Amino acid sequence: MHISALFLLLLLPFQWETNFEAAQKTAKEHHKLILLNFSGSDWCGPCILLKKDYFDQQTFLTMADSSLVLVNADFPRKKKNMGDPELVKSNEELAMKFNKKGSFPLTLLLDPDGNVLHVWDGKPTTPVDKWTEEIRSLCIANKQ
């Protein structure tokens, strides 16, 4: 790969999948686990902080790139931030299965078949490096 193309890839924001079935397929193909995050990106203060203080940090992104398929089920309240009706329906179906209490933020570690391995309810209280190491350890223990 050309150096400038590699540099450009490093500058691109890490992509969160919104299609759970596609995430499962990718996780199976690449022997990764799924990190599913339920957020309210335009109204939930802890969700906004979780993204900024944890998910956007290089420590987390480096670990996630090698071990996880990231899925975001976002429930914005502002009409301009809502996805297309199919995405809204898909997120609602995920919530019915994995977030019946409607907790925000809620983060789950899943195997490629959708079995729950670990749940974090709310924003983590540990520093990002410790939380990232916890996820990495869970990934190693549940290697696919």
Side-chain angles (χ1 to χ4, degrees):
M1 180 180 284
H2 193 268
I3 301 245
S4 61
L6 180 60
F7 184 70
L8 182 60
L9 281 176
L10 294 173
L11 292 178
L12 292 173
F14 200 88
Q15 293 298 310
W16 285 73
E17 180 65 64
T18 56
N19 181 311
F20 189 71
E21 288 77 23
Q24 286 183 292
K25 183 176 187 249
T26 300
K28 284 178 184 174
E29 289 172 359
H30 296 280
H31 308 288
K32 294 183 176 186
L33 297 179
I34 298 167
L35 192 79
L36 170 60
N37 178 250
F38 289 91
S39 68
S41 63
D42 64 5
W43 60 270
C44 171
C47 299
I48 295 164
L49 288 174
L50 177 61
K51 180 182 182 315
K52 179 179 150 291
D53 295 344
Y54 290 80
F55 295 145
D56 289 347
Q57 297 303 309
Q58 194 58 51
T59 303
F60 173 80
L61 293 171
T62 300
M63 180 277 303
D65 185 48
S66 63
S67 303
L68 300 170
V69 177
L70 303 176
V71 180
N72 185 35
D74 192 23
F75 290 82
R77 290 187 178 160
K78 294 178 183 169
K79 196 167 194 79
K80 68 177 184 171
N81 296 333
M82 291 184 184
D84 65 53
E86 269 308 299
L87 179 60
V88 171
K89 181 179 182 228
S90 172
N91 286 348
E92 288 172 354
E93 289 171 0
L94 282 174
M96 290 295 292
K97 182 171 184 178
F98 295 110
N99 191 5
K100 290 182 176 140
K101 292 181 181 177
S103 298
F104 291 94
L106 182 71
T107 308
L108 299 95
L109 185 66
L110 310 167
D111 71 15
D113 293 320
N115 298 308
V116 178
L117 304 172
H118 196 84
V119 177
W120 294 271
D121 194 350
K123 182 180 169 285
T125 55
T126 58
V128 65
D129 55 334
K130 284 188 125 185
W131 190 66
T132 299
E133 188 53 43
E134 179 184 359
I135 297 170
R136 182 190 330 271
S137 296
L138 287 165
C139 289
I140 292 168
N142 292 281
K143 193 73 176 155
Q144 296 296 307

